[in-house]
Each structure stands twice: as C-alpha cells, then as structure tokens.
C-alpha cells in the first residue's frame, strides 16, 4: 500500500508539469503526502491574501519617520509575516492594510496616518527592490511572480482615512490603494460598523453613497468587511461593480456575530459576482473558541476588581499571563477549510478566497496556521476535503483576479 501511495504522490506532483497527467484522489493519500503536494502547489501558484496588518505593526515599532526601515527581510520572532516566512509559505501578494483606528475619527489625523503607513510600505519596496515590489493590478502581481518578487498591493481599512472629502478617494487610488474597507470598529461618516450598536445612519450614509459611486468610477474594490448587514445591502444595491469581504468568515459557525457574513450576505456577494475571503482569527472561526475567550475576559475583569488592581500592575500582568495560558482555547487550521467549504457549497467555488488578518488578530490564530509560512497546511486540508488543484488555484488567486478585473472593467479601465 505504501508503494501505491508513493506512486500516487509522484503522479500528483507530475500533474503540474503535464496537461495529460490524471490528477489523483488526494483524499486517499496520507496527511504527510498531501502536505508535500500542498507545498508544491503553494510554491508554483500565486497566493493572494486579502488582508494583513503589517503596516500598523511597523508603525507601532516606533521608527516611523526616523528613516530606519523595519527589518522585514529577515525572520522575526514577533508578528505573523516577514519575507522569509512568506517565501516558505508560498505567499506572493499579501494586501497591506492601511489601518486607521476608529479613534482618529474623533481626534483627527486619519489621512495623515494613512499617508504615513503607505510611505512605510513603499519604503520596503525601495529598500529591497530585488525581493519586493508594489503592485496595483493583477498584471503587476503576475509579472512580479514571474520575476520572483513578493508583491505588496495595498488597501485602506476604514474609510475614515478620506475624512469628509470625497476627492480623497481618488487621492488614495492614485497612491496605489486598490480597495477600501468602509468602516472599522465604530460608525463613521460613510456607514455603520458591525462592532457599533449606535446604528448612526441606519446603513449607508448619504456621503457613503457618494463614496461607493466614486469607488466604482475609479475602479477601487469595495470591501464590505466590518459593516452592518443593513449597510451591506445598501452597498449591494448601489454598487455597479462586484464587492468583496476581504477578511470575513461565515456567520453560520458563529451565530449572532455580525462581523462575519451571513448566508444571505454571501449569496448577495455571489450574485454581484464578488467573493468572501475567509479570515483566520479563532473567534471568527469557532463559536466555542469565542465563548471561551469571552469567559476568560470576564474572569480577568472580575479578578482585577476583587483584587483592586489594573492591567498595568505587575502582579496583575503575571496573573493574567498565567491564567490565559492555562485557559487558552484552541482551534485547528481545518476549521478555516470548513469555512471555505461552506461558502463553496452555498454559492460555488468562484466566490471564495483567503484573507488571513495576519498581524491583526494577535495570538488567536489556529494551530497549523500561525504565520505566513503555513499556507501549505491549509492547502493540505482542502486537498483532504477533495478539492482539486484547479479549485485551489481559484481560491488562492484566480477568483480575486477575476473580481479585480471586473471592478476595473465596470470603471471603464
């Protein structure tokens, strides 16, 4: 049997090189054999990830305007991505999220922060031009892939970055921004956030409707992650182009969590020829994980109150670290594959992709998917579920490229 499986593995590896080769039934292979095939697929297939928060992590390192460049090129102990781990995992085009915390909506400075984060991403490309390049289109990502370069496309997370000036949408498009997440943690001038109970506008604001139309005109992808369902359906009604959730998972697995997308929302996204890019954070993937996290936070809050301490106190930090380590919930990479499989079964293989939220969800990432070196583990889980190489190529990049090009076509570009 071992010899037969080894022959099957060889046949599967040969499939990439010969159109006449017959793809084997990956479900019949061992986990080890599937992982080897997954590594080969990751190496030879473009992988696009819809959302990573590396720019804001670099910003928090404190070397923003000093001229010192964050050491992205070497393996880092912190964070979820660097050049080394990206190469190990076959990651080719991680979208750099230009993240604007909701606090900037009140105190100002949102556009300035966006400019700073964009500059920091640009600096990576100019510092290591033999390894990294910016990318503003599918064609540029493909060209960079052929040259062996890591592409860094960019998207804004939180339309607060444009402040109250519609012309800033075009300003950021011209700076290389190719999608914009309409809200983040709180309602803003554009629309309502799924994390905010205020329902300030009852959906998309009048200004938000102008923003959607302007994004359509420019060919900028509308990201519907973070918005309320009411805001989403307003966007879906108005947008003349496909829409994308760049980092959301399926609400089926987390009932009541509006930040994830419901089946009804997924179906409407597919109807608009868009896609859902499944995100990796544990609380997005599994209800039990989320509930355990909530219980842990409640326990810590009660303990602090009973002991008259704050999180800043040394004794509190020691207790919190020990308690959280002992009571940390777990979720496995296979759960990400389940979310992908749910979207596929609901609306088809053409409407799903990957949007990790690496560097944005702390230590809540699944076992087997802790950083950018581990994409082959996810591919192996998809092979185990019966997905073909062609299916995986769609999930990894072809679906997103189709949507991106359709958004450009709708703009007449």
């Amino acid at each position: 049997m071992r010899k037969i499986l080894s022959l099957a593995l060889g046949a599967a590896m040969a499939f990439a090189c010969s159109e006449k080769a017959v793809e084997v039934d990956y479900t019949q292979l061992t986990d080890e054999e599937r992982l080897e095939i997954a590594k080969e697929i990751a190496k030879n297939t473009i992988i696009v990830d819809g959302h990573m928060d590396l720019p804001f992590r670099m910003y928090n390192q404190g070397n923003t305007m000093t001229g010192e460049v964050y050491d992205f090129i070497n393996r880092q102990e912190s964070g979820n991505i660097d050049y080394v781990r990206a190469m190990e995992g076959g990651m080719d085009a991680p979208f750099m999220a230009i993240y604007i915390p909701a606090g900037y909506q009140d105190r100002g400075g949102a556009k300035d922060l966006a400019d700073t984060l964009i500059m920091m991403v640009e600096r990576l490309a100019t510092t290591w031009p033999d390894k990294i390049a910016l990318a503003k289109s599918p064609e540029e990502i493909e060209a960079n892939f052929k040259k062996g370069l890591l592409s860094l496309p960019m998207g804004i997370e939180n339309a607060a970055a444009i402040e109250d000036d519609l012309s800033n949408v075009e300003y950021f498009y011209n700076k290389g921004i190719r999608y914009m997440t309409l809200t983040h943690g709180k309602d803003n001038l554009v629309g309502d956030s799924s994390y905010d109970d205020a329902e300030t506008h009852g959906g998309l604001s009048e200004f938000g409707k102008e923003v959607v139309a302007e994004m359509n005109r420019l060919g900028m992808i509308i990201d519907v992650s973070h918005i309320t369902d009411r805001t989403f359906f307003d966007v879906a009604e108005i947008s003349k182009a496909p829409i994308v959730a760049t980092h959301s998972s399926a609400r089926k697995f987390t009932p009541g969590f509006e930040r994830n997308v419901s089946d009804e929302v997924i179906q409407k996204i597919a109807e608009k020829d868009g896609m859902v890019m499944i995100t990796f954070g544990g609380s997005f993937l599994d209800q039990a994980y989320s509930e355990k996290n909530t219980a842990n936070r409640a326990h810590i809050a009660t303990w602090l109150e009973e002991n008259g301490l704050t999180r800043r106190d040394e004794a509190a930090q020691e207790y919190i670290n020990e308690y959280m380590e002992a009571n940390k919930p777990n979720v496995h990479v296979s759960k990400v594959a389940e979310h992908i499989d749910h979207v596929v079964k609901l609306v088809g293989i053409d409407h799903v992709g990957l949007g990790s939220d690496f560097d944005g969800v702390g230590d809540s990432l699944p076992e087997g998917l802790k950083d950018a070196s581990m994409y082959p583990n996810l591919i192996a889980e998809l092979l185990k579920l019966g997905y073909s190489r062609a299916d995986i190529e769609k999930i990894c990049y072809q679906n997103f490229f189709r949507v991106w090009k359709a958004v450009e076509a709708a703009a007449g570009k």
Side-chain angles (χ1 to χ4, degrees):
M1 176 60 74
R2 186 71 183 180
K3 182 177 181 181
I4 293 173
L5 290 177
S6 296
L7 290 171
L9 176 63
M13 300 290 277
F15 182 79
C17 305
S18 172
E19 293 182 1
K20 295 182 180 179
V22 177
E23 192 164 16
V24 302
D25 182 355
Y26 300 118
T27 66
Q28 300 302 306
L29 303 182
T30 66
D31 289 344
E32 181 182 27
E33 289 165 338
R34 273 191 294 266
L35 182 57
E36 288 305 307
I37 294 168
K39 289 177 180 177
E40 181 271 318
I41 291 174
K43 179 181 178 181
N44 292 291
T45 300
I46 295 173
I47 300 180
V48 175
D49 190 301
H51 190 96
M52 292 195 194
D53 280 300
L54 173 67
F56 198 68
R57 178 159 70 84
M58 293 192 297
Y59 179 80
N60 285 332
Q61 299 297 308
N63 58 0
T64 313
M65 302 300 290
T66 64
E68 181 183 355
V69 181
Y70 174 79
D71 186 12
F72 177 73
I73 211 68
N74 294 304
R75 187 187 300 275
Q76 301 297 309
E77 294 300 319
S78 63
N80 308 126
I81 184 172
D82 48 52
Y83 180 79
V84 175
R85 287 180 286 178
M87 294 300 98
E88 289 175 352
M91 168 46 54
D92 302 293
F95 261 85
M96 297 287 96
I98 305 303
Y99 165 54
I100 309 300
Y104 284 83
Q105 298 167 197
D106 299 322
R107 65 176 177 268
K111 179 175 178 291
D112 289 342
L113 175 61
D115 281 332
T116 298
L117 297 179
I118 291 169
M119 177 271 294
M120 296 181 78
V121 174
E122 292 172 339
R123 190 182 287 172
L124 295 179
T126 57
T127 302
W128 295 289
D130 59 326
K131 293 180 174 64
I132 300 169
L134 301 177
K136 302 176 184 178
S137 68
E139 291 79 12
E140 288 186 5
I141 292 175
E142 289 176 323
N144 290 339
F145 179 73
K146 291 176 182 177
K147 296 175 186 175
L149 298 174
L150 175 68
S151 293
L152 296 182
M154 292 185 287
I156 282 177
E157 183 177 30
N158 192 357
I162 67 172
E163 299 179 340
D164 60 353
D165 187 347
L166 188 65
S167 69
N168 280 332
V169 180
E170 185 168 13
Y171 168 83
F172 283 118
Y173 183 87
N174 291 336
K175 290 182 77 71
I177 296 298
R178 288 300 178 264
Y179 77 67
M180 187 160 65
T181 316
L182 298 181
T183 70
H184 193 257
K186 289 186 177 295
D187 299 352
N188 61 19
L189 296 178
V190 169
D192 295 341
S193 165
S194 60
Y195 284 137
D196 193 336
D197 295 330
E199 295 190 5
T200 303
H201 310 287
L204 199 63
S205 70
E206 290 304 313
F207 178 61
K209 294 174 183 177
E210 295 180 15
V211 169
V212 167
E214 180 68 354
M215 292 174 73
N216 282 173
R217 184 186 73 83
L218 293 167
M220 184 184 288
I221 297 166
I222 298 167
D223 177 18
V224 296
S225 293
H226 281 284
I227 60 178
T228 63
D229 287 359
R230 291 180 68 180
T231 307
F232 167 80
F233 283 106
D234 285 348
V235 172
E237 181 178 351
I238 293 169
S239 178
K240 300 182 184 305
I243 50 185
V244 177
T246 66
H247 58 302
S248 296
S249 293
R251 199 181 304 168
K252 174 183 183 295
F253 299 92
T254 57
F257 185 36
E258 194 174 14
R259 171 64 181 81
N260 273 346
V261 285
S262 68
D263 285 1
E264 186 181 9
V265 167
I266 294 169
Q267 289 167 330
K268 177 58 73 171
I269 288 174
E271 183 182 313
K272 300 282 293 184
D273 198 30
M275 62 186 297
V276 177
M277 306 181 85
I278 299 299
T279 199
F280 298 172
S283 293
F284 293 79
L285 297 174
D286 183 65
Q287 184 71 17
Y289 186 103
S290 179
E291 290 173 357
K292 180 60 175 173
N293 256 355
T294 299
N296 286 348
R297 288 193 294 269
H299 171 83
I300 294 298
T302 300
W303 185 89
L304 289 171
E305 183 177 355
E306 290 174 349
N307 289 274
L309 297 172
T310 70
R311 288 180 176 273
R312 292 188 295 273
D313 294 316
E314 186 175 343
Q317 291 178 5
E318 182 178 349
Y319 177 82
I320 291 169
N321 289 337
E322 291 179 357
Y323 182 86
M324 295 301 284
E325 184 62 30
N327 292 276
K328 184 178 179 180
N330 290 303
V331 66
H332 188 259
V333 58
S334 58
K335 199 68 178 181
V336 180
E338 283 186 49
H339 280 253
I340 292 170
D341 195 49
H342 175 70
V343 175
V344 171
K345 287 175 178 174
L346 186 67
V347 295
I349 189 66
D350 295 329
H351 304 288
V352 69
L354 309 176
S356 64
D357 208 359
F358 278 154
D359 282 342
V361 289
D363 62 354
S364 72
L365 292 158
E367 293 300 320
L369 203 51
K370 296 293 187 183
D371 61 45
S373 70
M374 299 184 181
Y375 287 95
N377 292 338
L378 176 55
I379 293 173
E381 291 294 332
L382 292 171
L383 293 173
K384 190 174 185 177
L385 290 177
Y387 284 80
S388 68
R389 178 183 295 265
D391 293 334
I392 290 169
E393 288 175 347
K394 284 190 172 187
I395 293 166
C396 286
Y397 81 101
Q398 290 175 356
N399 289 342
F400 188 76
F401 278 12
R402 183 199 78 248
V403 172
W404 194 347
K405 291 175 181 179
V407 171
E408 292 179 333
K413 296 188 175 181

